[in-house]
Amino acid sequence: MPNNLEGKVAIVTGAGRGIGRGVARLMAEEGASVVVCDLGGNVDGTGEDISVAQQVVNEIAAAGGKAVACTESVVSMEGGEKIVQTAIDTFGRLDIVVTCAGILRDRMVFNMTEQEWDDVIAVHLKGTFTVVKHACILFRQQRAGRIITFSSESGLVGNSGQANYGAAKSGIAGFTKVVAKDMGRYGVTANAIAPRANTRMIGDIPDSAAEIRARSGVAAIPGEDTLTELDPTHIAPFICYLASDYAQNVNGQTFLVYGDTVSLMSQPRPERSIYEPSGHWDMETLAPLARDVLTRGIVNPAPPAPPRE
């Protein structure tokens, strides 16, 4: 019987479906008691169905595990605090936080509304902060804890039509690196995952999106052509690894996870540099040197369309 997380208590947000559901179920199999947190809303964040979280709890219980449903929203500080309190009230402790909760409101930036921007930022970026912040109060006191957040390749490398989502996911990656430095001294680790999987969010992207990008010369999402073949439950084992004692020194990293592949993503580092001995650039000196050295060979991910005849 697996027991790598025996005696641990985990919160998994967005655990009612997709990747989060797989994480919650596998953590329970590995011995953890799990707070299954999900409002049961639609992909765009509308609606609510409290039975979604309870169904996962029932599945875990049927398999001999321990879990409790939580339908608090991650978008408010009060909601984040209540989610953490649910773990304490039900299981007496908290050891692991996994923040899978998210919504999608895709739109080209020139068509995106303020509400579409605010809603996506609220669920992904603020929703990560509200839970992690309150968990860190406990983790600092107990000198232990695991935090696994969810970034995305849309945030790390960009994806057309996802300004709100990409900004939130890039923010989560940066947030996680800061939390890793804030909390590392207390025995806490924080790492981010960029998953590829066939989830409701992928299903919500119209088939025409890839065609539009291709026609416009916009670079495709990495692995876009295989996303529908990738089982979301395949993400869970690496999440459980990061939550276990095996990964006690893994901190501040970002991992790409999909199918049979796990990759450590490179950290942003200077790749090329140019220097001016006088200490001050002027355009006459800077422009040719930047063109021939610094930006040489850079490919435009969305080149301008050819002029119409």
Side-chain angles (χ1 to χ4, degrees):
M1 183 74 177
N3 60 359
N4 290 302
L5 301 178
E6 188 69 38
K8 305 292 186 183
V9 175
I11 289 170
V12 183
T13 69
R17 302 182 178 97
I19 294 172
R21 175 176 174 268
V23 171
R25 292 188 59 170
L26 185 58
M27 284 193 162
E29 288 180 26
E30 290 288 344
S33 299
V34 184
V35 177
V36 177
C37 183
D38 203 304
L39 275 173
N42 299 315
V43 174
D44 64 359
T46 60
E48 185 175 323
D49 184 354
I50 61 175
S51 69
V52 171
Q54 187 60 49
Q55 176 61 37
V56 178
V57 170
N58 294 345
E59 293 168 359
I60 290 172
K66 297 178 181 179
V68 63
C70 178
T71 56
E72 296 290 341
S73 172
V74 300
V75 302
S76 71
M77 296 305 292
E78 182 183 13
E81 185 175 15
K82 286 181 177 179
I83 291 167
V84 171
Q85 193 61 47
T86 298
I88 302 303
D89 291 344
T90 307
F91 301 116
R93 59 181 295 134
L94 177 63
D95 305 281
I96 302 158
V97 168
V98 185
T99 57
C100 303
I103 64 171
L104 210 58
R105 299 274 182 88
D106 283 5
R107 192 87 66 186
M108 297 298 284
V109 67
F110 41 79
N111 290 327
M112 186 169 289
T113 67
E114 182 179 9
Q115 194 66 53
E116 288 166 340
W117 174 272
D118 288 347
D119 288 348
V120 170
I121 295 295
V123 175
H124 287 277
L125 185 53
K126 186 179 179 183
T128 297
F129 169 69
T130 64
V131 180
V132 169
K133 182 267 170 92
H134 288 102
C136 281
I137 296 173
L138 291 175
F139 289 170
R140 182 184 178 213
Q141 294 171 348
Q142 66 195 30
R143 295 297 196 271
R146 296 284 186 272
I147 298 164
I148 301 105
T149 65
F150 272 67
S151 183
S152 169
E153 288 175 286
S154 289
L156 300 176
V157 301
N159 184 37
S160 179
Q162 294 190 317
N164 48 8
Y165 181 77
K169 291 303 192 181
S170 181
I172 289 170
F175 169 77
T176 305
K177 288 181 174 64
V178 174
V179 172
K181 291 188 175 183
D182 284 354
M183 298 300 295
R185 71 190 70 180
Y186 304 112
V188 180
T189 66
N191 296 284
I193 298 297
R196 292 183 194 167
N198 184 15
T199 65
R200 287 194 307 159
M201 287 191 181
I202 294 301
D204 200 54
I205 299 174
D207 293 338
S208 59
E211 298 173 8
I212 293 171
R213 283 194 291 272
R215 287 200 305 268
S216 303
V218 178
I221 304 170
E224 182 178 46
D225 56 339
T226 62
L227 282 174
T228 56
E229 302 171 9
L230 298 175
D231 190 331
T233 63
H234 291 179
I235 308 298
F238 191 71
I239 304 297
C240 289
Y241 160 75
L242 288 176
S244 74
D245 292 340
Y246 287 109
Q248 60 184 344
N249 292 319
V250 182
N251 195 25
Q253 304 302 317
T254 301
F255 298 90
L256 173 65
V257 184
Y258 63 94
D260 60 359
T261 301
V262 180
S263 301
L264 173 64
M265 301 293 280
S266 63
Q267 300 280 7
R269 297 287 185 270
E271 184 175 334
R272 305 176 192 168
S273 302
I274 56 177
Y275 306 94
E276 171 48 47
S278 71
H280 176 72
W281 290 103
D282 58 62
M283 278 295 293
E284 185 178 1
T285 306
L286 174 64
L289 193 59
R291 177 196 62 200
D292 297 338
V293 178
L294 191 66
T295 63
R296 176 177 51 85
I298 289 178
V299 176
N300 187 342
R308 296 179 179 178
E309 297 181 357

